Amino acid sequence: MSIINYIEKYRKMNRTLFTTPSHSQGEFISPDSIRLLGKKFFQCDYSELEGFDNLSDPKGIIKETLDNAAKIYEAKSTFFLTNGSTSGIIAAMLAILNKGDKVLIARNCHKSVYNALVLTGAVPVWIMPEYNPEWGIFESINYNNLAQILDNNKDIKALFITNPSYEGAMTDINRISYICKRYKIKLIVDEAHGALWNFHRALGIPAITIGADITVQSLHKTAGALNPCALLHIEKNSTVNPDDIQNALNLISTTSPSYPLLVNMESSIYYLFSNKGKSKIIELVKNIDRFIRSMKNTANVQVYSQNNDITKILLKVVNMSGFELSNILFDKYGIEDELANEKSVLFLTGLGTTKNKLKKLEKAIIEICKNNIRLFPDDDKNNSFVPIEPTVRYSPSQVWNKESQQIKLKDSLSRVCMEVIADYPPGIPLLMPGEVIKQEHIDYLSSSRENIKVLA
Ligand SMILES: Cc1ncc(COP(=O)(O)O)c(C=O)c1O
């Protein structure tokens, strides 16, 4: 029986509960919460009662749904993550890596990778993806460099890749997976932004179907689920033991998982797999395609289209910084983007992105280009980003809880950083604890901060 059907059945049983959660399925809800959220959500919020299952050791209704999900995703096992891809990334690394193990990581990773490095005690070896200065974004790693690093570091245990990148740039996972198999290392793919791929292969090829041992996907990012619903999949032929993933998840997860989130994940997966779901994705793709075509026909607008996931629309207006375009869209049109950089602006789309929403954006950009509205000085252009190769003096776990001190940024050359410095979004680390501060870091950060935390 599905989780949803069981909750509906259980509600009809009219049981009298003396259990958590203490709102007793909405008998008490603080007034502001009910005003804003309504009652229905609370009415689905149960603990592990008779007939319910246990997310930390699923044997009943949750297991049934997860087994169905694994079939849908063509995985050996699928896991619900009620704390986002963040928890899946940490669990994947905890399951595969031991203290002192080397892990190769493409630097355009989410900052949760730092959490995983602290908790596993693994030692990062970084590979810099190629940087596209025209767009101000990281793209794929260089496959020859990858093989070279693996040749020089025979003790690397796993490779961690983010695909698609936050901005939608793609890496050829087929090729990477082939290289990983040749070097006998595990491949973890952060596919947080690719949760629609299993249902519309033209958007991207899901890593789980081309040899990645573990794939993590955020259902909330593109697939229309609540924050922070996400999934972890183990590939069919992978030697990763599902018990190791379950144990790792149990180590970092609450013992009171949210049934409303489980309901939302279950129904999202079944919906995505249904004909209605497929039509909905096709409609989204059609609307985005139409928007992109219109932008490409608009003078002075450029759209990033280099083998990318089109649900992430990255565009720029000639002679205008991304920050400037972003500010105009916000102040004059009430349009909020996901992220702006010096060169471009990123708009995230997903199942909730309607044709009308895209039309509004299209109209605003066409108007901006026509009138060439320039409301803001181009100050941000001075804050040029250059990719900086990290130098690891200590692994993040080695400096965890070590004594630190705040010093002036200008005096920090060659000191060991003790902060994760990552603009959010996208949360890609510029510096991590244990890394050496270089002159390029100081130059880049000097416009945004005065002080920095260093190892005492
Ligand atoms: C590339 C990438 N990976 C992982 C995450 C973390 O995902 P979640 O919010 O589901 O924990 C994010 C969040 O922004 C992300 O952009």
Side-chain angles (χ1 to χ4, degrees):
M1 182 181 289
S2 71
I3 300 171
I4 293 168
N5 286 348
Y6 188 73
I7 288 183
E8 282 172 337
K9 182 175 156 194
Y10 191 84
R11 290 190 57 70
K12 290 192 189 125
M13 291 180 202
N14 249 334
R15 296 248 166 93
T16 305
L17 303 180
F18 288 91
T19 65
T20 61
S22 57
H23 58 72
S24 286
Q25 289 67 52
E27 289 299 328
F28 165 80
I29 305 174
S30 63
D32 283 347
S33 300
I34 198 160
R35 189 167 53 79
L36 206 66
L37 302 174
K39 202 168 178 178
K40 280 247 146 79
F41 196 91
F42 288 82
Q43 287 174 335
C44 295
D45 193 23
Y46 286 96
S47 296
E48 287 91 354
L49 306 169
E50 186 60 35
F52 280 77
D53 201 357
N54 184 345
L55 187 61
S56 62
D57 183 20
K59 291 197 165 75
I61 50 174
I62 295 178
K63 167 119 177 58
E64 196 176 320
T65 299
L66 287 174
D67 286 349
N68 286 338
K71 280 190 201 124
I72 290 173
Y73 285 94
E74 302 169 46
K76 173 154 90 178
S77 302
T78 290
F79 296 81
F80 283 139
L81 306 171
T82 53
N83 194 21
S85 287
T86 296
S87 60
I89 288 167
I90 296 171
M93 288 175 70
L94 278 169
I96 286 182
L97 300 165
N98 289 316
K99 191 171 174 192
D101 282 349
K102 275 193 192 168
V103 52
L104 181 59
I105 306 168
R107 183 66 174 194
N108 60 338
C109 63
H110 182 251
K111 60 183 177 180
S112 51
V113 171
Y114 164 74
N115 308 2
L117 288 170
V118 171
L119 292 171
T120 55
V123 177
V125 178
W126 297 102
I127 176 165
M128 291 303 277
E130 280 161 359
Y131 185 71
N132 183 334
E134 293 278 299
W135 290 90
I137 63 169
F138 284 106
E139 295 177 327
S140 171
I141 57 168
N142 177 303
Y143 307 101
N144 294 332
N145 288 355
L146 171 63
Q148 202 179 348
I149 294 175
L150 292 173
D151 276 335
N152 293 340
N153 295 269
K154 298 279 189 218
D155 48 352
I156 281 176
K157 289 270 165 52
L159 171 64
F160 185 101
I161 295 282
T162 303
N163 189 53
S165 73
Y166 193 83
E167 298 87 357
M170 304 256 221
T171 296
D172 183 348
I173 295 296
N174 224 341
R175 197 162 166 188
I176 299 256
S177 140
Y178 176 77
I179 296 173
C180 287
K181 296 222 168 10
R182 183 145 55 90
Y183 285 86
K184 296 190 170 54
I185 65 170
K186 296 273 186 294
L187 174 59
I188 304 170
V189 177
D190 172 354
E191 208 169 80
H193 291 270
L196 292 179
W197 290 7
N198 303 72
F199 308 97
H200 195 299
R201 299 279 167 104
L203 287 172
I205 302 170
I208 189 73
T209 62
I210 44 177
D213 290 276
I214 299 177
T215 305
V216 178
Q217 299 177 317
S218 294
L219 284 173
H220 66 95
K221 287 193 192 296
T222 50
L226 283 166
N227 270 338
C229 292
L231 300 172
L232 182 152
H233 312 288
I234 304 177
E235 199 256 343
K236 264 197 178 125
N237 301 313
S238 171
T239 54
V240 172
N241 184 346
D243 289 346
D244 292 343
I245 294 286
Q246 186 67 66
N247 290 339
L249 282 171
N250 294 351
L251 195 68
I252 56 169
S253 301
T254 174
T255 52
S256 310
S258 160
Y259 267 88
L261 292 191
L262 295 179
V263 162
N264 191 230
M265 282 195 266
E266 178 185 75
S267 68
S268 295
I269 293 169
Y270 289 155
Y271 176 78
L272 290 167
F273 190 57
S274 70
N275 287 337
K276 271 193 180 160
K278 290 197 176 99
S279 308
K280 180 85 185 155
I281 302 173
I282 290 169
E283 183 193 320
L284 172 71
V285 171
K286 221 163 69 190
N287 290 337
I288 298 172
D289 267 339
R290 205 203 59 79
F291 172 84
I292 290 175
R293 261 184 284 117
S294 161
M295 288 295 97
K296 284 185 172 168
N297 287 329
T298 305
N300 294 328
V301 178
Q302 290 172 14
V303 186
Y304 181 77
S305 42
Q306 302 174 14
N307 175 35
N308 60 317
D309 176 339
I310 61 159
T311 63
K312 281 143 212 37
I313 302 169
L314 188 68
L315 61 78
K316 59 181 170 184
V317 170
V318 171
N319 283 333
M320 200 176 269
S321 80
F323 299 114
E324 205 177 355
L325 176 60
S326 170
N327 285 338
I328 297 170
L329 284 170
F330 185 76
D331 288 345
K332 188 158 190 288
Y333 299 93
I335 293 174
E336 211 165 332
D337 54 67
E338 173 72 11
L339 168 80
N341 66 32
E342 189 194 320
K343 305 288 180 188
S344 53
V345 181
L346 177 67
F347 304 91
L348 290 194
T349 68
L351 289 192
T353 307
T354 57
K355 197 172 176 177
N356 278 349
K357 235 176 159 183
L358 287 167
K359 280 243 178 266
K360 190 174 170 191
L361 179 61
E362 179 186 349
K363 208 164 148 249
I365 292 178
I366 290 174
E367 196 175 296
I368 290 170
C369 289
K370 209 186 292 162
N371 301 339
N372 195 14
I373 306 168
R374 300 183 66 87
L375 301 178
F376 297 87
D378 223 353
D379 292 344
D380 292 314
K381 282 207 162 144
N382 299 328
N383 196 18
S384 243
F385 178 78
V386 272
I388 306 165
E389 284 269 352
T391 300
V392 178
R393 174 83 49 83
Y394 302 104
S395 67
S397 68
Q398 280 176 316
V399 290
W400 176 255
N401 268 347
K402 287 273 181 303
E403 209 176 317
S404 64
Q405 62 181 127
Q406 284 273 1
I407 62 168
K408 292 270 176 234
L409 178 69
K410 64 179 174 46
D411 301 327
S412 66
L413 185 64
S414 303
R415 299 291 297 267
V416 172
C417 181
M418 286 293 277
E419 298 178 53
V420 180
I421 301 184
D423 291 336
Y424 197 89
I428 295 170
L430 180 77
L431 270 167
M432 274 196 194
E435 291 178 1
V436 177
I437 300 168
K438 302 179 179 178
Q439 189 57 48
E440 297 103 293
H441 294 123
I442 299 174
D443 294 343
Y444 179 70
L445 292 169
S446 58
S447 62
S448 58
R449 56 161 66 210
E450 252 188 57
N451 298 320
I452 191 163
K453 226 193 224 184
V454 296
L455 189 63

